[in-house]
Amino acid sequence: MQTDVNVMEVGLGGRLDATNAIDPDISAVVSIDFDHEQWLGHDLGAIAYEKFAICRPDRPLFWGGDQSQNEIMKVLDFYESRDNPVVRKKETDFFCEGDAIHVMEGSEECRYPIPAWVKQHFSPILRQNYALSSAIFVHFMKRFRNVSPQNLQKIFSSFASEGSPWPASLLARAQKLIISCRERGQHELLIDVCHNQAAVDDFVRALKNNGGLGFHTKLPALVTVLSDKDVNGMLDLLRGVLEPIVLFKINNRSEEHTSELQSPDHLVCRLL
């Protein structure tokens, strides 16, 4: 099948992931935190070494994490000096502030409107992720589609308008769904992938601060966690906003062995 654009997500790490066999025009690392440590390493520098290996010489590498993370920035500096990617950093080259996304293109700063839906429903970190994806989109449209700044403004304005055919969304990140049941009527669900402890912490803070999510009490939850995660640490965070919690096993080789878990009172059952 021939496609105009291919977007590929790294499965684990980056350096040894199968997707790294591809020669990308643009690379992006959204954030780096402790995850899959048995394969990627037990400190942020080691994990960063695996993840930043997706960069390519003379091509943009977008970094969506904080520049204050010294251990990570040292590794990024290493790749920048060795492989010469064109590094684009949050806070320096793109950021979200007020009602606009700011994107630096060379010496020029462009501002694009933030959709109302993003402002209302995205937590602060998800808004910054939206700024990252917007910066990548701007670069792609200018570099590979020769779209003018004026037309980019029109495109972003259409994103921000009510009834847009392309509503801004990050699927499975604080995503609300409405399901209908003939016997019980409509029910509202909240879905978030929360794949590591840092993501769980952001999800919890968004719920505690309301974060535009619209929930004001603890929510009943179905939770699935793989065995290479800090399961107990994630559950300790989640029980501040979720009650009761039903923990599921996943029937594959990465499944969590429930016998190894602590027995916090907030778990109502473990489904085998």
Side-chain angles (χ1 to χ4, degrees), residues 3 44 49 64 130 169 195 200 267:
T3 57
L44 291 178
Y49 180 80
Y130 185 76
S169 65
H195 64 286
V200 169
L267 288 182

Side-chain angles (χ1 to χ4, degrees), residues 125-250:
I125 287 183
L126 291 186
R127 286 198 291 272
Q128 294 298 337
N129 287 352
Y130 185 76
L132 167 63
S133 61
S134 297
I136 296 171
F137 177 75
V138 168
H139 175 84
F140 173 82
M141 295 298 282
K142 285 186 173 182
R143 172 68 176 79
F144 297 101
R145 293 294 184 267
N146 199 29
V147 176
S148 68
Q150 293 79 11
N151 284 333
L152 272 171
Q153 286 289 345
K154 292 179 181 178
I155 292 171
F156 273 90
S157 295
S158 71
F159 289 159
S161 63
E162 290 189 24
S164 169
W166 309 286
S169 65
L170 290 174
L171 297 180
R173 295 306 312 268
Q175 181 186 5
K176 287 185 179 181
L177 294 177
I178 303 294
I179 61 172
S180 297
C181 176
R182 184 176 300 174
E183 292 79 14
R184 299 185 180 182
Q186 289 190 334
H187 294 269
E188 191 171 38
L189 300 181
L190 182 66
I191 300 175
D192 199 290
V193 291
C194 286
H195 64 286
N196 60 21
Q197 193 160 348
V200 169
D201 185 55
D202 177 52
F203 175 72
V204 168
R205 283 188 283 113
L207 278 178
K208 284 184 175 179
N209 299 329
N210 194 21
L213 298 182
F215 297 97
H216 304 279
T217 60
K218 287 188 176 182
L219 304 175
L222 306 178
V223 177
T224 298
V225 188
L226 296 179
S227 59
D228 65 325
K229 311 286 185 176
D230 181 3
V231 182
N232 290 307
M234 295 167 78
L235 291 174
D236 284 342
L237 289 170
L238 288 171
R239 67 179 175 181
V241 294
L242 304 178
E243 185 181 326
I245 294 175
V246 180
L247 182 65
F248 283 82
K249 281 180 65 176
I250 297 179

Side-chain angles (χ1 to χ4, degrees), residues 248-261:
F248 283 82
K249 281 180 65 176
I250 297 179
N251 293 318
N252 64 19
R253 293 182 179 180
S254 299
E255 69 184 15
E256 176 58 70
H257 300 288
T258 54
S259 60
E260 298 175 1
L261 286 175

